[in-house]
Amino acid sequence: NDTVPSFNIDSLNNIYGKNKRILKEYESASLIALSYFPELSQEFIQFKFNNINSTARTTVTFFSLFKRINKQYIIYINDDIPKTGILLYQASFDAQVAVIAHELVHVSDFRNRNFSGMARWSANYLFEKNIAKIERDTDKIVIEHGLGRQLYDWADFVLNSPACSKHYLKIRQKRYLLPNEIKEYIGKAQR
């Protein structure tokens, strides 16, 4: 595991931590990721541990489904190793930033959706082809926000981790950008 770069956490927290409940374990990574999404500075985002079958997942609170503004979001971080074989804390700091940034792209998307928009988004999640398009597009937006190298670190970590469960590995390969695709898209995004 890489050593975590030192940042002035208090300064980052003052700027990007407003209306956020951040897990202590991922405080630096969350604040760095948030710094790439200044448009989310006023959004209510809570980070929580949960046993989910992915590394992280974003949702809106039930009552937020009916709101146009002041929605509240929850970013769940998996804490159940049998579900995926790997946990976020095992990845490098940069990879952790990428995972959180990926979830923040979902927050950005959700904040622009009303109830019917959220319902359409959920309906898309019923079909594998649509899930892959949503997640791959989300990865591209992470790259466009300047976190391509970090996303590459995460994809490389997952695909080369002997502990990663076969099921989770298959999902990652099907739904998300692969390291070579990330490199290619970084090149396109820099043009």
Side-chain angles (χ1 to χ4, degrees), residues 92-117:
S92 70
F93 179 79
D94 280 350
Q96 292 174 24
V97 170
V99 169
I100 294 165
H102 179 97
E103 298 309 316
L104 292 173
V105 172
H106 288 310
V107 171
S108 287
D109 179 25
F110 294 167
R111 74 191 264 257
N112 298 315
R113 292 179 182 271
N114 58 16
F115 180 79
S116 61

Side-chain angles (χ1 to χ4, degrees), residues 139-173:
D139 276 351
K140 288 175 182 176
I141 295 168
V142 170
I143 294 166
E144 290 163 9
H145 272 75
L147 292 165
R149 186 180 53 76
Q150 291 82 350
L151 189 66
Y152 178 89
D153 285 358
W154 169 247
D156 186 60
F157 168 75
V158 173
L159 296 180
N160 293 305
S161 171
C164 189
S165 76
K166 283 181 177 34
H167 175 71
Y168 185 57
L169 187 60
K170 252 178 31 194
I171 286 172
R172 294 286 323 167
Q173 290 168 326

Side-chain angles (χ1 to χ4, degrees), residues 21-54:
R21 279 212 247 142
I22 296 172
L23 294 166
K24 205 79 188 136
E25 295 86 340
Y26 298 106
E27 184 177 35
S28 296
S30 299
L31 290 168
I32 295 298
L34 281 160
S35 75
Y36 283 82
F37 295 85
E39 68 274 20
L40 299 179
S41 66
Q42 298 305 310
E43 301 297 327
F44 295 91
I45 304 172
Q46 182 176 6
F47 294 79
K48 288 181 168 183
F49 284 117
N50 203 337
N51 60 345
I52 51 177
N53 26 346
S54 62

